[in-house]
Amino acid sequence: MNTELSNIKNTFPKEEKLCSTKAIDKLFSSGQSFIAYPLRVVYTVENEPEVNHQLAAILTSVSKKKFKRAVKRNRVKRLIREAYRLNKHELSALLKEKGKRMDIAFLYLKNELPEYTEIEKAILKTVSVLISKLREGVPE
């Protein structure tokens, strides 16, 4: 087994959850967005990571209009967080290398419950788009 991959910790600590109202307002007012169907991704990039903060913080949102039952909304959010948790390492490494931090919001767009593979495909596309934008230098 590849030792580099086995050293990666696939965790999702509290610091990676975007909870700050100020940060969320800033994300939606001045963030950039793109669609990796069935997700709409809104993100902001900041130059200096704050001390004791993770390099990327995420927020997941599922509309009450699309899923009336909280059980279904929570299921979709769980799938999104799990797919992100397992595929974030490349993005985190690049953010660390560049000395930047990122806030990301995942908004679910579809009306039906997704399969995990569909969500993972969207997350992989999201990570690759964010990596390419970081490499070419996103305007802050």
Side-chain angles (χ1 to χ4, degrees):
M1 181 179 225
N2 189 346
T3 56
E4 186 179 307
L5 286 177
S6 63
N7 289 338
I8 295 171
K9 287 203 170 29
N10 288 326
T11 59
F12 190 63
K14 170 111 171 93
E15 297 85 44
E16 287 189 25
K17 296 172 179 85
L18 188 59
C19 301
S20 163
T21 311
K22 261 167 89 174
I24 293 169
D25 289 343
K26 183 181 176 194
L27 175 64
F28 286 107
S29 65
S30 63
Q32 299 175 321
S33 70
F34 62 91
I35 291 178
Y37 196 78
L39 300 173
R40 178 171 174 244
V41 181
V42 183
Y43 67 96
T44 57
V45 179
E46 294 173 14
N47 270 334
E48 295 178 26
E50 298 164 23
V51 181
N52 297 332
H53 276 78
Q54 292 292 337
L55 299 167
I58 72 160
L59 164 101
T60 56
S61 176
V62 181
S63 171
K64 208 176 202 179
K65 281 185 179 179
K66 301 203 190 296
F67 297 104
K68 302 288 186 240
R69 307 242 174 223
V71 172
K72 291 183 178 184
R73 289 195 303 275
N74 292 340
R75 166 97 176 129
V76 175
K77 289 191 274 189
R78 240 187 343 269
L79 287 172
I80 293 169
R81 284 194 302 264
E82 180 66 5
Y84 174 77
R85 181 183 73 84
L86 294 173
N87 296 296
K88 69 179 178 178
H89 54 275
E90 199 175 337
L91 178 63
S92 296
L94 185 63
L95 285 167
K96 190 174 196 173
E97 176 190 312
K98 297 245 183 207
K100 295 185 185 280
R101 82 172 293 284
M102 188 177 268
D103 290 336
I104 309 166
F106 295 107
L107 308 167
Y108 188 73
L109 301 173
K110 210 169 161 187
N111 288 337
E112 298 104 38
L113 278 173
E115 293 288 322
Y116 176 76
T117 53
E118 181 182 18
I119 293 292
E120 187 175 41
K121 196 168 144 188
I123 292 289
L124 287 169
K125 181 181 176 194
T126 298
V127 168
S128 68
V129 167
L130 290 173
I131 286 172
S132 68
K133 293 206 184 261
L134 273 171
R135 286 207 172 115
E136 62 194 39
V138 180
E140 279 80 30

